[in-house]
Amino acid sequence: MFDDGLRVGYGAMAQFLVGVVILWLAGTIVRVRRDYTESLRERARELEQQRDTQAQIAAAEERTRIAREIHDVVSHSLSVVVFMTDGALSRVRTEPARAEEALVTARDTGRQAMTEMRRMVGVLRTSEAALLGPQPGVGQLQVLVDESRAAGLPAELSVSDEPVPLPEGLDLCVYRVVQEGLTNARKHGGPTLSRVDVHLEYTNTELAVTIADDGAGPNMWLPDGAGHGLVGMRERVTLYGGDVRTGVRKGGGFDLTVTLPLSLSGGTE
């Protein structure tokens, strides 16, 4: 009789303990699920914040890039317009035909600059990079040099070795480097400027772009790297792992040499 009661007591206690364990497990599962759900929500909030932050960073970088593009376009185009207008004013009475040609070049350059500016401002307003359309690159360098020569800058283009296809960003970088180099030669070459050589040299690992002139203008390249053009160029080239070097030539004139690694170019897009 006593044994039967003891067994009943043990059975009731076992059931009670099992019930306690089940309730504890159920509570633990609910708590774990609640914590897990909260962690998912927190992770989702963090990812959303990171996405917003990255979007803001990307937008700021895009605007910085566009500002650099605007500077390059305005600086180059205005220098051509001013140069050609000065030439037209000096010939308007003695050589009216040549004065007219200079004014036509200035007009066309201004129109082209306005078109590019509208595209870039459109990007700033809509944040749609596709509105920029095809960007200039190495393939348009000869046209750029020809336009500079037509504007009175005695420029020549040469290429060593076989050109290789470049990613879009790097292709545009090379074009803007040459554009800025020609603009600075025109601005600061001085009255002794008689030649500007643009040379591209391809190797298996890098592309070297050199713009050399024989002018003697003051402060063409400021030693401290000041000036928006040179600063923008350095930022652009550094983005692609490249290097910018400037200096006075031994025989007179100035050199701009930009070296861009081809092995890293694909990773920058």
Side-chain angles (χ1 to χ4, degrees):
M1 190 73 174
F2 178 76
D3 291 340
D4 291 340
L6 187 60
R7 282 196 296 271
V8 171
Y10 282 152
M13 183 177 293
Q15 290 178 358
F16 173 76
L17 291 175
V18 169
V20 170
V21 171
I22 291 174
L23 289 175
W24 179 81
L25 288 175
T28 300
I29 291 172
V30 170
R31 187 175 67 255
V32 169
R33 290 189 61 184
R34 185 174 62 247
D35 293 344
Y36 178 68
T37 302
E38 182 60 29
S39 68
L40 289 179
R41 290 174 180 168
E42 181 64 25
R43 179 59 177 165
R45 286 193 292 269
E46 291 178 356
L47 290 175
E48 185 176 358
Q49 291 175 353
Q50 291 177 5
R51 184 175 64 250
D52 292 343
T53 301
Q54 290 173 353
Q56 292 173 1
I57 293 174
E61 290 178 346
E62 180 67 6
R63 279 160 173 75
T64 300
R65 185 188 68 81
I66 293 171
R68 191 183 301 126
E69 295 293 320
I70 290 174
H71 168 270
D72 291 342
V73 171
V74 171
S75 177
H76 174 76
S77 300
L78 285 182
S79 67
V80 172
V81 170
V82 171
F83 188 87
M84 297 306 294
T85 304
D86 285 343
L89 288 174
S90 65
R91 297 187 177 98
V92 67
R93 290 187 175 85
T94 59
E95 299 177 89
R98 295 192 62 183
E100 182 179 357
E101 291 177 2
L103 289 175
V104 169
T105 301
R107 180 200 63 188
D108 293 343
T109 301
R111 285 179 175 174
Q112 182 181 359
M114 288 178 63
T115 300
E116 291 193 55
M117 289 284 290
R118 288 193 186 102
R119 290 175 180 171
M120 293 172 189
V121 171
V123 173
L124 287 173
R125 290 175 176 172
T126 63
S127 297
E128 294 181 3
L131 290 179
L132 277 174
Q135 294 295 298
V138 174
Q140 287 72 47
L141 286 182
Q142 187 61 60
V143 175
L144 179 64
V145 170
D146 290 343
E147 289 176 350
S148 295
R149 191 162 52 243
L153 184 69
E156 297 291 340
L157 173 67
S158 61
V159 180
S160 295
D161 298 319
E162 187 69 22
V164 299
L166 302 177
E168 182 178 350
L170 185 62
D171 205 27
L172 176 61
C173 176
V174 174
Y175 182 89
R176 294 304 188 201
V177 164
V178 174
Q179 186 180 52
E180 181 68 22
L182 292 174
T183 299
N184 279 312
R186 182 181 299 109
K187 284 182 179 179
H188 309 291
T192 63
L193 178 66
S194 65
R195 184 178 182 85
V196 181
D197 292 313
V198 179
H199 182 69
L200 274 63
E201 183 175 0
Y202 292 84
T203 69
N204 293 331
T205 59
E206 65 183 24
L207 167 61
V209 182
T210 302
I211 300 98
D213 71 72
D214 60 356
N219 301 323
M220 177 175 178
W221 300 110
L222 301 180
D224 58 356
H228 295 293
L230 187 55
V231 171
M233 182 189 297
R234 290 189 186 279
E235 290 176 351
R236 187 190 296 275
V237 171
T238 300
L239 180 65
Y240 293 93
D243 178 64
V244 178
R245 297 187 303 276
T246 61
V248 179
R249 302 175 66 188
K250 291 182 179 179
F254 294 87
D255 275 341
L256 162 66
T257 301
V258 171
T259 305
L260 293 160
L262 298 179
S263 58
L264 299 178
S265 60
T268 60
E269 295 301 306

